[in-house]
Amino acid sequence: MDIDYQRRVFNYAPHKRQPVRHPVVVVGAGPVGLATAIDLAQQGVPVVLLDDDDKLSAGSRAICFSKRTLEIFDRLRCGERMANKGVSWNVGRIFMRDEEVYGFDLLPEDGHQRPAFVNLQQYYVEGYLHERAQELPGLDLRWCSRVTALEQHADHATLTVDTPDGPYTLEAAHVVAADGGKSTIRKLMGLESKGRVFRDRFLIADVKMTADFPAERWFWFDPPFHPGQSVLLHRQPDNIWRIDFQLGWDADPVAEKAPERVIPRIEALLGKEARFELEWVSIYTFCCLRMDSFRHGRVLFAGDSAHGVSPFGARGANSGVQDADNLAWKLRLVVENKAPDALLDSYCQEREYAADENILNSTRATDFITPKSAASRLFRDAVLQLAKEQPFARKLVNSGRLSMPSVYAQSPLNTADADVFRQGLRPGSPALDAPLVFEGHADWLLRHTGNAFAGIYFAGTKHDGQAIAEALALSNEAIPVRLLVVAAAGQAQAGMFEDSAGLAAARYDAAPGSFYLLRPDQHVCARWRSFDAHAVRAAVARACGHQGLATNATMIQEQMEPA
């Protein structure tokens, strides 16, 4: 029997108020806060997760979860449930008035475990994450716990938490603020997000109905059923359909939510004879903004508390979960005294860059969807007309550049290429999945990476034995490197993965002897044409924030030993 996640209420549980300093306290139990807390707990870091509510999100809210985010959820051991429950899709279609302009496929090639996107209501995502959190003994989730004050000290932060049985104080070495766009932590610290508010309003209507529309993203410009505006249609599980109607800035946000206003708009799209029920209705305004810095002392901001974008392009929840993916492993190494505190600054460098990239794409999409002058509208409509016949014009059409993971090409944690690669995954890139076979069973590459540094060695040279022995020895060091040995089809020996379709070698531009080093968040931080244990140790040290250290392996090892 399915759980009704929209109506679940979590009881407040009094806890022992002991004078303990916690390594990490996360504020906000939405997708970002839950993902951060789960990531820390499954890597062995005790974490307290506070939320001022006692239930999951109301309404579908974020629904489009990207391939990269699904891979992160796989690493958190709840991706399979989300993929199975969600509606998978790769294809989108653009319409101008009543004609299709063109269609696009976001994942046209085979050999990926996950689709380009899965549509899944946010309450399911939060529910599945919550159930995963309940499995982890090191994760203390406290409902009905509202932070009312925060003070920073030299080596910790103190939070005052209000609860049904009175307030108490909580000490934390680090605080992660994942408490949403109206962040209480941000306000308590006197900080703000800055950016641009777009003068337009959109209506979201979640409609329950049986329809034969395909599981695709359909976007209309100036359709006959909603002239002069735009409309977006998405399918969700449980026969729920998301419809977004552009309303214009002059629309009354209260009146437009009334059923007598919403139902005629839906009937204009579906037809008067259509049978449907309204599940959820909301009005939103575009905003693109972010904090100047995502780190303020011992407080790190993630998700909507740090940055906000318009919904088109599915960049909100996806970028927030990717914040968590970036931050958790760095916090773990700092908490364990295996990396300097400065490693946390790289979270800001990498994710502020990603936020700027998302905001730029979101702003461009919003300007295209909602032109603010007659000349802008004339240009947009001309581009759409031209795009019917001319592929080059399709690059100018922007109904929301859909979320893609950022490449941290300029990250200080990367080790620059010393060898020549024609293509493949340059340092800073998220790792790509590929089908493999292990001991006769179908498998996937990314299942064996994440949570720790991983090395991928592409076998096939006469020096394999020595290289593999030296690479295996790296698993015993202070910062261990887990080894995957990948061999070409028909050449795998015991303990090796077989690149049965040749896609791993192709996607990584790998020749026999090539070696890739992945960070715990599955981003590439270094690659070589041949394995060199000394170079790998130096690259691990750099990725852990020790780039200023000498490259002598003994000195690096001493610096990374726990204090």
Side-chain angles (χ1 to χ4, degrees):
M1 180 176 171
D2 287 341
I3 296 171
D4 188 347
Y5 289 103
Q6 287 196 86
R7 291 170 178 80
R8 283 201 71 179
V9 176
F10 302 98
N11 295 326
Y12 168 76
H15 55 277
K16 295 179 181 179
R17 303 189 178 190
Q18 299 172 331
V20 176
R21 182 171 299 172
H22 301 275
V24 182
V25 170
V26 178
V27 182
V32 179
L34 280 162
T36 306
I38 291 167
D39 209 344
L40 287 164
Q42 73 177 21
Q43 294 185 61
V45 178
V47 58
V48 175
L49 176 57
L50 305 174
D51 196 88
D52 61 1
D53 204 353
D54 60 358
K55 58 185 71 71
L56 306 177
S57 65
S60 61
R61 298 184 181 273
I63 65 166
C64 296
F65 292 90
S66 70
K67 178 176 179 290
R68 178 63 200 136
T69 300
L70 292 169
E71 290 165 353
I72 295 168
F73 288 151
D74 280 335
R75 189 171 59 74
L76 302 183
R77 301 178 191 173
C78 51
E80 190 72 15
R81 291 188 70 189
M82 297 188 191
N84 289 341
K85 178 65 177 178
V87 174
S88 298
W89 64 275
N90 298 325
V91 173
R93 300 191 186 277
I94 304 294
F95 298 86
M96 177 64 173
R97 299 187 179 93
D98 56 355
E99 295 182 347
E100 181 175 344
V101 178
Y102 70 95
F104 56 88
D105 190 336
L106 296 168
L107 196 65
E109 61 179 11
D110 294 329
H112 294 272
Q113 184 183 12
R114 299 303 177 204
F117 281 89
V118 160
N119 286 353
L120 184 64
Q121 295 92 321
Q122 184 170 320
Y123 50 80
Y124 280 120
V125 172
E126 291 182 7
Y128 296 165
L129 287 169
H130 171 261
E131 287 161 10
R132 171 62 181 145
Q134 295 297 101
E135 298 172 354
L136 297 165
L139 200 165
D140 181 1
L141 202 170
R142 304 180 184 181
W143 298 105
C144 300
S145 300
R146 182 167 59 92
V147 178
T148 58
L150 186 149
E151 295 181 4
Q152 294 210 63
H153 309 280
D155 59 351
H156 71 282
T158 301
L159 300 91
T160 301
V161 183
D162 194 19
T163 71
D165 59 344
Y168 70 97
T169 59
L170 192 64
E171 290 189 358
H174 303 278
V175 177
V176 178
D179 53 344
K182 298 179 181 179
S183 172
T184 297
I185 300 298
R186 193 176 62 223
K187 292 176 182 176
L188 289 173
M189 297 179 68
L191 304 170
E192 61 180 345
S193 283
K194 301 173 184 176
R196 178 180 174 188
V197 177
F198 293 85
R199 293 173 63 83
D200 212 329
R201 291 192 172 95
F202 277 76
L203 164 73
I204 296 177
D206 273 4
V207 176
K208 188 176 184 66
M209 64 179 181
T210 301
D212 57 2
F213 296 116
E216 298 175 350
R217 180 188 195 262
W218 284 12
F219 194 103
W220 287 270
F221 291 95
D222 192 17
F225 55 83
H226 193 56
Q229 306 285 18
S230 60
V231 177
L232 174 65
L233 177 70
H234 266 295
R235 181 181 172 187
Q236 304 175 61
D238 307 329
N239 290 321
I240 304 295
W241 295 79
R242 159 72 62 82
I243 311 174
D244 290 51
F245 293 95
Q246 184 184 2
L247 299 178
W249 183 245
D250 295 331
D252 184 326
V254 176
E256 290 294 347
K257 291 175 65 175
E260 58 266 27
R261 294 280 191 98
V262 178
I263 289 173
R265 297 190 189 281
I266 298 171
E267 288 179 338
L269 166 61
L270 301 177
K272 287 281 188 180
E273 72 286 353
R275 296 291 177 263
F276 59 86
E277 299 174 18
L278 289 179
E279 284 280 313
W280 181 65
V281 176
S282 182
I283 303 287
Y284 63 86
T285 300
F286 285 164
C287 296
C288 287
L289 40 81
R290 79 165 175 89
M291 298 179 67
D292 289 336
S293 174
F294 295 176
R295 184 184 187 189
H296 291 266
R298 295 191 166 268
V299 182
L300 300 114
F301 291 83
D304 287 350
S305 70
H307 48 79
V309 292
S310 68
F312 291 117
R315 295 176 177 275
N318 286 296
S319 63
V321 172
Q322 289 162 29
D323 288 345
D325 181 54
N326 187 290
L327 178 57
W329 70 274
K330 296 173 181 178
L331 271 171
R332 190 236 324 158
L333 289 176
V334 171
V335 165
E336 294 177 350
N337 294 315
K338 293 182 178 179
D341 180 80
L343 179 62
L344 299 179
D345 293 332
S346 72
Y347 164 72
C348 297
Q349 292 169 300
E350 294 177 348
R351 294 312 298 169
E352 286 168 11
Y353 166 80
D356 288 342
E357 188 175 62
N358 281 322
I359 288 170
L360 176 62
N361 280 292
S362 186
T363 300
R364 287 173 174 170
T366 304
D367 285 339
F368 192 88
I369 293 167
T370 62
K372 301 303 184 287
S373 68
S376 297
R377 182 175 290 272
L378 184 64
F379 169 78
R380 186 199 71 180
D381 292 352
V383 166
L384 287 164
Q385 291 292 341
L386 190 60
K388 290 181 183 179
E389 305 294 338
Q390 301 296 331
F392 81 87
R394 295 169 189 172
K395 296 180 181 179
L396 300 175
V397 176
N398 197 334
S399 65
R401 298 277 190 249
L402 287 154
S403 176
M404 295 289 289
S406 291
V407 175
Y408 311 133
Q410 304 303 316
S411 172
L413 308 187
N414 295 341
T415 295
D417 285 342
D419 302 322
V420 176
F421 285 81
R422 298 185 306 277
Q423 46 187 2
L425 302 178
R426 59 178 171 158
S429 302
L432 289 178
D433 208 357
L436 301 174
V437 172
F438 184 71
E439 296 182 349
H441 298 285
D443 210 333
W444 294 94
L445 189 152
L446 289 186
R447 284 184 183 174
H448 301 277
T449 65
N451 302 326
F453 283 91
I456 306 174
Y457 179 75
F458 290 87
T461 77
K462 63 181 180 180
H463 302 296
D464 280 348
Q466 179 181 351
I468 291 171
E470 292 182 10
L472 282 170
L474 295 174
S475 65
N476 298 318
E477 304 207 348
I479 305 291
V481 177
R482 184 187 308 140
L483 180 65
L484 284 74
V485 180
V486 177
Q491 298 183 25
Q493 301 176 26
M496 294 183 182
F497 294 86
E498 181 180 352
D499 187 11
S500 51
L503 289 174
R507 289 172 182 166
Y508 287 75
D509 185 21
S514 295
F515 189 89
Y516 271 77
L517 180 65
L518 308 186
R519 306 183 333 183
D521 60 358
Q522 298 173 319
H523 276 253
V524 175
C525 57
R527 60 182 178 172
W528 301 268
R529 282 299 182 197
S530 59
F531 176 78
D532 182 324
H534 179 78
V536 174
R537 289 189 182 97
V540 170
R542 184 179 188 89
C544 294
H546 295 277
Q547 61 266 34
L549 298 177
T551 57
N552 178 275
T554 303
M555 293 179 64
I556 292 171
Q557 182 77 4
E558 290 173 354
Q559 290 285 344
M560 290 194 293
E561 288 292 349

